[in-house]
Amino acid sequence: MEKLSGYQEFLSKAMDWVWEFMPNLITSVITLIVGMWVIKMISRLVKRFFDRADYDPTLETFIESLIKAILKILLFVLVVTQLGVQSSSLVAIVGAAGLAIGLALQGSLSNFAGGVLILLFKPFKVGDFISAQGVDGTVKEISIFTTKINTFGNQVAIIPNGQLSNNTIVNFNAESTRRDKIDVGIGYGSNIKKAKDILLEICAADKRILKNPAPEVYVGALADSSVNLTLRFWADNADFWAAHFHVMETLKERFDAEGIEIPFPQREVRTKTMA
């Protein structure tokens, strides 16, 4: 009889606890359902905003996922609080875990922040030729943490976005046109005007070189063994290197044909015979 009485007492207390806990459980379930619906609606609004704005698809996907994750964490805290768990204790646990994760991933967080800045402000885009962190090449891929660059030798350089966003970046494709500067030395006995005319003729004959702004040639320096001429001209980005190499080759051929000397270092060696 005592055992039966003990079971009845336990069952009675359990039922009392269930009835006391049931309102909190129902409230938590309702909060969860409504919260998931609200998160879904907010996600749709964020997606519509990004569809109208001109942001990088990688950044859009990441921010959408980040917002959804933050909202789900807040919903989890709210639901657990409805079940009777102390919110202050839960927030302290989540905060401590966040701090520990942040300290462990300092470098990754720096790269993440740099990636967000690059994707948001767009100092360069995929396909641009840039110079950064001692690497020259074409941007192949921009992700949240790193940027991949294809070098001249068709190697892939992977640069952390934290370093890219905090250092100098030279974007050669930021403007549609680009100016070249070619220095060439001629001998002191050569005709300066004739050499300048040849350089301008080469530029005028090349359709890839823009006529406005017009090419210009001037004496850049009177060096020890040469008069250094400086040629400057503009070309579209797509034609820049082809025009550059054509001018370099053609000026050598024309100078040779016209008898204009291009000095080069020479060393005179004398031998002395001992009597």
Side-chain angles (χ1 to χ4, degrees):
M1 293 294 292
E2 291 183 2
K3 288 184 178 181
L4 182 60
S5 176
Y7 287 142
Q8 289 178 342
E9 184 179 355
F10 173 78
L11 184 60
S12 176
K13 289 182 178 179
M15 291 301 296
D16 290 341
W17 179 85
V18 168
W19 284 111
E20 289 177 4
F21 182 72
M22 190 60 69
N24 291 340
L25 181 60
I26 294 173
T27 304
S28 299
V29 171
I30 295 173
T31 302
L32 180 62
I33 294 172
V34 173
M36 292 301 294
W37 180 81
V38 171
I39 290 174
K40 189 175 181 180
M41 295 302 297
I42 292 175
S43 298
R44 286 181 180 176
L45 291 174
V46 171
K47 184 170 177 53
R48 286 179 186 173
F49 168 78
F50 280 124
D51 288 341
R52 294 176 183 174
D54 183 24
Y55 290 109
D56 190 278
T58 306
L59 180 63
E60 293 177 14
T61 303
F62 179 79
I63 291 182
E64 287 173 14
S65 301
L66 182 63
I67 291 174
K68 190 179 292 186
I70 292 173
L71 291 175
K72 285 183 177 180
I73 290 172
L74 293 175
L75 178 61
F76 169 76
V77 172
L78 186 60
V79 169
V80 172
T81 303
Q82 290 292 330
L83 292 174
V85 178
Q86 296 260 343
S87 59
S88 57
S89 302
L90 188 61
V91 170
I93 293 172
V94 173
L99 179 61
I101 293 172
L103 291 174
L105 300 176
Q106 273 186 328
S108 297
L109 291 175
S110 172
N111 293 330
F112 156 71
V116 171
L117 291 175
I118 289 171
L119 292 170
L120 190 61
F121 294 106
K122 299 181 180 179
F124 56 83
K125 61 183 183 298
V126 173
D128 283 352
F129 186 89
I130 68 170
S131 177
Q133 296 296 297
V135 177
D136 298 341
T138 303
V139 179
K140 180 181 180 181
E141 179 185 327
I142 306 171
S143 64
I144 287 295
F145 294 100
T146 61
T147 294
K148 293 182 180 180
I149 297 177
N150 253 61
T151 66
F152 274 122
N154 200 32
Q155 292 126 356
V156 177
I158 302 175
I159 304 177
N161 286 334
Q163 297 178 14
L164 274 179
S165 63
N166 290 314
N167 290 281
T168 302
I169 301 170
V170 180
N171 188 344
F172 294 94
N173 292 109
E175 303 293 339
S176 59
T177 58
R178 185 173 166 190
R179 185 170 69 172
D180 198 3
K181 176 178 177 288
I182 297 176
D183 294 320
V184 56
I186 63 173
Y188 271 93
S190 299
N191 189 318
I192 294 178
K193 184 178 184 308
K194 187 175 183 180
K196 291 173 69 175
D197 289 342
I198 290 172
L199 293 174
L200 292 175
E201 288 171 8
I202 293 172
C203 292
D206 194 330
K207 294 181 179 179
R208 292 166 298 198
I209 296 177
L210 300 179
K211 305 305 181 280
N212 186 24
E216 56 183 2
V217 185
Y218 53 86
V219 176
L222 300 176
D224 293 339
S225 58
S226 65
V227 177
N228 294 338
L229 300 180
T230 298
L231 168 65
R232 290 186 174 182
F233 63 83
W234 291 82
D236 290 335
N237 272 320
D239 300 326
F240 178 82
W241 285 112
H244 172 87
F245 293 129
H246 176 263
V247 170
M248 292 291 289
E249 181 178 347
T250 307
L251 76 84
K252 176 64 170 65
E253 293 174 350
R254 290 288 306 275
F255 278 10
D256 288 347
E258 299 291 339
I260 296 176
E261 178 191 3
I262 300 179
F264 55 90
Q266 301 182 49
R267 179 176 293 176
E268 182 176 326
V269 179
R270 298 184 181 183
T271 60
K272 184 176 181 181
T273 303
M274 298 296 293

